Amino acid sequence: MTTIASLVGPEVLRQVKAIELRTRRLVGTLFSGEYRSVFRGQGIEFAEVRAYEHGDDYRAIDWNVSARMGTPYVKTFVEERELTLLLVVDRSGSVEFGRPVTKSARAVEVAAVLARAAARQNDRVGAVIFSDRVDHVVRPAKGRGHALRVLRDLVAYRAAGRGTNIADALAYSNRLLRHRAIVVVISDFRASDWELPLRRLAGRHDVVAITVEDPRELELPDAGWVELRDAERGSIMVVDTSHPRARMQIRVASEQAHLQRARALAQAQVDHIALRTDQPYAQALHGAFALRARRLRR
């Protein structure tokens, strides 16, 4: 794992301050009065066992206690007062692309909004930063200072590897979290074999997937012959972007990949929020979370 402290210099601190200033108002407006309904996580903890009363859900019956006492007893639970928010952030080669901001820069800023919102509610927040492996971990803790540390580490981190191993990051997160938590995965999901680890993680925790895309990944502009470099493998492909058939083939392949990703996220019962590098993210984020809050209140 990378030592972040050695990478923190004046430029990193300036970037952290700039992101903090940009996101301050958004944190106040985006989650003002909404945070608990958006990120309540349906987390519950055991309270007590008591005698069964008319109207109790039979599924809550504690059969072991009932057998010992000779009369029905039920388990009772209370909603957790504190939440844990874990940000699982992709810093692989494929996210270092985008205009006017890179996918990575957009991911860091969105993570900053969520981390600061959690800190305002005195909830725990942590981060898992990954590329072709789990590179850096900030264990969940409370406080504004800790949230700023999460942001600082996200800004300062520079991946040694270029590949993407989402499966390992998801499995590591599942082992890291002992109690039910909110897990926000920010990635383009340009990797393989992450579907099963995601379903396992979503089986124990409340998972939200935030994808960041650049429009040029879906539809290439007409710019003549161009070199396309794979950011993770380093391979180069020369494409005539003025040829309609070539652009159509790339578009069809991208659309199929997006559909497969959306299907896998839906099958894992994971909320999906799609953001773009060429559009402001605040409105899209607010709309997606407002929809989520309404659904959870039902």
Side-chain angles (χ1 to χ4, degrees), residues 99-198:
R99 192 173 58 192
V101 298
T102 64
K103 295 190 288 183
S104 176
R106 180 53 45 84
V108 168
E109 191 150 325
V110 170
V113 171
L114 299 178
R116 295 192 64 204
R120 280 175 62 124
Q121 295 293 325
N122 201 34
D123 288 335
R124 294 179 293 270
V125 60
V128 172
I129 305 173
F130 72 94
S131 55
D132 55 2
R133 61 184 183 276
V134 173
D135 294 300
H136 183 69
V137 177
V138 182
R139 291 183 176 272
K142 295 181 184 180
R144 178 178 178 273
H146 184 76
L148 287 176
R149 184 206 162 183
V150 169
L151 172 56
R152 182 205 70 182
D153 288 6
L154 284 167
V155 171
Y157 179 73
R158 297 293 180 268
R162 303 295 294 172
T164 309
N165 194 333
I166 301 177
D168 272 6
L170 297 175
Y172 181 92
S173 301
N174 213 2
R175 295 192 300 270
L176 176 68
L177 297 167
R178 296 185 178 181
H179 304 289
R180 186 171 177 84
I182 310 297
V183 182
V184 177
V185 185
I186 309 178
S187 173
D188 56 12
F189 287 84
R190 291 179 178 272
S192 58
D193 301 325
W194 49 263
E195 294 85 355
L196 180 57
L198 181 66

Side-chain angles (χ1 to χ4, degrees), residues 81-94:
R81 291 188 178 90
E82 297 175 353
L83 301 178
T84 296
L85 173 65
L86 183 67
L87 302 165
V88 183
V89 184
D90 185 350
R91 294 300 304 271
S92 63
S94 67

Side-chain angles (χ1 to χ4, degrees), residues 184-258:
V184 177
V185 185
I186 309 178
S187 173
D188 56 12
F189 287 84
R190 291 179 178 272
S192 58
D193 301 325
W194 49 263
E195 294 85 355
L196 180 57
L198 181 66
R199 288 198 297 271
R200 288 173 175 167
L201 184 67
R204 295 184 58 219
H205 304 284
D206 189 3
V207 180
V208 177
I210 299 180
T211 58
V212 183
E213 300 290 347
D214 186 274
R216 291 173 296 166
E217 294 174 313
L218 181 62
E219 186 165 0
L220 288 176
D222 185 349
W225 288 93
V226 297
E227 287 186 352
L228 301 180
R229 179 185 297 273
D230 189 311
E232 298 189 358
R233 297 181 180 87
S235 57
I236 296 175
M237 178 174 61
V238 180
V239 177
D240 181 6
T241 61
S242 62
H243 198 296
R245 183 176 179 182
R247 293 203 307 275
M248 178 60 70
Q249 288 175 335
I250 290 174
R251 177 167 187 163
V252 169
S254 296
E255 288 177 345
Q256 289 177 342
H258 285 190

